[in-house]
Amino acid sequence: MSQNTLQATIADINTRWDAAFNRGDAAAVAALYDAEAAVLPAGGDAAAGPAAIEALFAGAIASGIHNHRIEQHAVAGDDAYATQRGRWSAQAKNADGELQTFSGHLTVVYRRQPDGSWRALTHIWN
C-alpha cells in the first residue's frame, strides 16, 4: 500500500470517527476499533475492548462534548500496521453555560483487518 493511499485511508477513518461522534453514535465510533483495542485517555482509565470503548465515548457524548475534529499531521505504516499523529479538538459548555473549545495531541496505531479494512488498535491523547 502506498503512503498516499494509507494517508487517504486514515483520513477517511478520521472523517467517519468525527461524524459518528458528532451525531452521538458511540456504537459507530467503537466499531472503528479493533476487537483487541485499547483507548488511553489523558488522565483517565484505559478502556479495553469494544464494550468499554463504546461506554467511554457514550459518556463523553452524554457529558456534552461535541464538534469533535481530528486533524491528521503524519501517517506512516506498511501493509499490516499504521500510525497516525495529529491533533484533536472539541467543544463543551462549562458550568456557567459558556462554550469552551479544548484540544490536544493524539497518536493512533491501526491494524489491518482480515477483510482489508483498518481499525484502531491503540488510541491515546492528551
Side-chain angles (χ1 to χ4, degrees):
M1 174 174 277
S2 76
Q3 288 302 302
N4 287 341
T5 301
L6 185 58
Q7 187 174 9
T9 298
I10 301 304
D12 178 63
I13 294 169
N14 292 339
T15 298
R16 290 186 288 132
W17 199 105
D18 285 339
F21 187 92
N22 291 330
R23 72 174 177 266
D25 190 346
V29 173
L32 297 171
Y33 289 82
D34 187 274
E36 298 176 350
V39 176
L40 311 166
D45 293 331
I53 291 169
E54 182 176 345
L56 173 75
F57 290 120
I61 291 164
S63 75
I65 298 173
H66 62 283
N67 291 336
H68 191 280
R69 181 174 178 273
I70 298 171
E71 179 184 330
Q72 178 178 291
H73 288 180
V75 172
D78 56 28
D79 287 336
Y81 291 92
T83 61
Q84 172 182 214
R85 291 189 318 265
R87 289 191 60 83
W88 64 272
S89 62
Q91 294 181 312
K93 291 185 180 178
N94 65 16
D96 296 326
E98 299 166 333
L99 189 61
Q100 303 289 302
T101 300
F102 47 99
S103 64
H105 299 277
L106 65 80
T107 299
V108 184
V109 176
Y110 297 90
R111 178 162 56 185
R112 194 165 203 171
Q113 305 298 297
D115 68 0
S117 66
W118 291 86
R119 291 191 183 173
L121 180 62
T122 304
H123 180 181
I124 188 168
W125 68 84
N126 67 8

